[in-house]
Amino acid sequence: MPALIFDCDGVLADTERDGHLPAFNAAFEEFGLPVRWSDEEYAEKVKVGGGKERMRTLLTPDFVAAAGLPTDPAALEEQVAAWHRRKTEIYTGIIRGGDIPPRPGVHRLAAEAYEAGWTLAVASTSAEVSVRSVLELAMGPELAAHFSVFAGDVVQRKKPAPDIYAFAVHRLGVDPAHVVAIEDSRNGMLSALGAGLTCAVTTSAYTRQEDFTGASLVVTSLGDPPPEETVARVLSDPLGTHPGPWVVLADLAALLTAGGETGSSTASAPSAAGPPGSAPPGPDPRSH
C-alpha cells in the first residue's frame, strides 16, 4: 500500500513564527543571553535544520565573550543543550495551549488516507516531544495513534540530507516509489526527493518565496471544503494532476502514477546533501 509522510513544522501547523520563535527568545531571556531574534532574522534561521544548530549559529567568539560563556567545546555544548531543553519545554507549552491551529486539510487528508489503508507517518528535524505535541494538535489523539513518528534525533544529518526520509521508509518497510511526502520548505523537499520520494509542497509563512523546482505539486495549502472553506491555490502542477479547490487523496495517488509514468519526479530535481537513501547509524540528539 502507499504511504503518506508529513513534515511537522509548517505542514501540520504553521508553528515557526508563533511557536518556535517565541520559544527561542523566551529561553534566551531566561538564560540572560544578549540576543532576541526578530521575525526577519528568524526567517533566515529557519533555513538551518535543527534547533540546536540554529542556536549554535550564535556562537561567534564575540558572542561567547559577551555572554560570559565557557570556551571549552564540551562545556559550551552542554550549555547549548540546556538552552535547547528549556526552549523545547516552552515550545510544547505553547502548542498545548492550543493557540496555534492546524493547517487546513491536514486532518481531512490524513483521515482519508487512513480509511484507504495508506501508511501514515511524520518525518521531521524537530525533537520527538515537539513533533508529537503538534501531531496530536493537528490530528487528535485517535488519528495520531495511527502515525509512526521519525524525529530528527534518530539520524545524524538533518534536512536537506535525505537521511530522515530514508530512515522512515526503511522502518516502515515501504517502497519509496509508493510514498508521497508533504513538505513546506525547499530543504524538506530536497530531503524527500533525495530519498526517492514524490513530494507535494504546501507553502508556509517563511517559505512562500522558495524555489520548489522538483516538487510534483505546490499549493498554498491543502484546503478544506465547507464549512471551513479554505481554498488550495495551485502554484505549480508540473505533472498536470489538476487538483480542485482542496487537495484530496486521489490527487496524491495521481502524483504517484504520473511520476512513475514520467520516470520519477526526482529526475530533474536539485540534489540533496548526501547520497539518496543514506541513513548513518546511531542517534544524534540535535533537534528543533
Side-chain angles (χ1 to χ4, degrees):
M1 288 298 280
L4 179 58
I5 305 180
F6 292 87
D7 176 41
C8 179
D9 297 300
V11 171
L12 298 182
D14 216 340
T15 52
E16 292 289 7
R17 175 172 285 145
D18 297 322
H20 287 292
L21 175 56
F24 276 115
N25 283 338
F28 296 154
E29 182 175 8
E30 286 191 15
F31 281 91
L33 299 174
V35 60
R36 302 293 182 273
W37 283 333
S38 68
D39 188 66
E40 294 75 15
E41 289 171 324
Y42 194 65
E44 292 301 311
K45 295 296 181 183
V46 295
K47 297 176 184 178
V48 178
K52 286 184 183 178
E53 288 82 350
R54 291 176 194 174
M55 288 176 161
R56 290 189 190 107
T57 65
L58 296 171
L59 301 180
T60 64
D62 287 345
F63 183 87
V64 169
L69 298 173
T71 56
D72 174 70
L76 192 56
E77 187 60 27
E78 288 178 8
Q79 189 66 68
V80 171
W83 300 343
H84 187 259
R85 283 193 298 272
R86 180 57 185 143
K87 178 263 171 183
T88 300
E89 292 172 353
I90 296 168
Y91 172 77
T92 54
I94 292 172
I95 296 301
R96 288 167 183 156
D99 291 332
I100 301 177
R103 291 204 66 194
V106 292
H107 182 278
R108 172 186 55 79
L109 198 57
E112 189 178 354
Y114 173 69
E115 290 299 326
W118 286 41
T119 298
L120 295 173
V122 176
S124 173
T125 61
S126 291
E128 184 173 342
V129 63
S130 297
V131 173
R132 290 191 181 278
S133 65
V134 178
L135 177 63
E136 187 159 322
L137 166 77
M139 301 299 172
E142 185 175 343
L143 185 55
H146 298 290
F147 276 75
S148 296
V149 174
F150 305 99
D153 56 0
V154 298
V155 295
Q156 290 185 328
R157 299 184 303 169
K158 301 298 178 65
K159 299 174 183 179
D163 301 26
I164 189 65
Y165 279 111
F167 183 87
V169 166
H170 175 73
R171 284 297 184 93
L172 293 171
V174 294
D175 183 343
H178 298 159
V179 179
V180 177
I182 308 291
E183 273 287 352
D184 74 304
S185 70
R186 176 175 170 80
N187 278 350
M189 178 198 73
L190 292 175
S191 177
L193 296 181
L197 312 187
T198 294
C199 184
V201 171
T202 170
T203 59
S204 62
Y206 287 123
T207 69
R208 290 168 185 149
Q209 305 305 316
E210 293 188 359
D211 178 6
F212 292 113
T213 302
S216 296
L217 179 67
V218 183
V219 292
T220 54
S221 79
L222 297 174
D224 267 322
E228 290 82 1
E229 194 64 45
T230 304
V231 174
R233 185 162 61 90
V234 177
L235 303 178
S236 177
D237 182 20
L239 301 182
T241 52
H242 305 297
W246 44 87
V247 177
V248 297
L249 190 65
D251 297 321
L252 301 187
L255 295 181
L256 292 175
T257 301
E261 290 174 351
T262 58
S264 169
S265 61
T266 66
S268 60
S271 61
S278 62
D284 181 343
R286 295 176 292 179
S287 50
H288 199 90

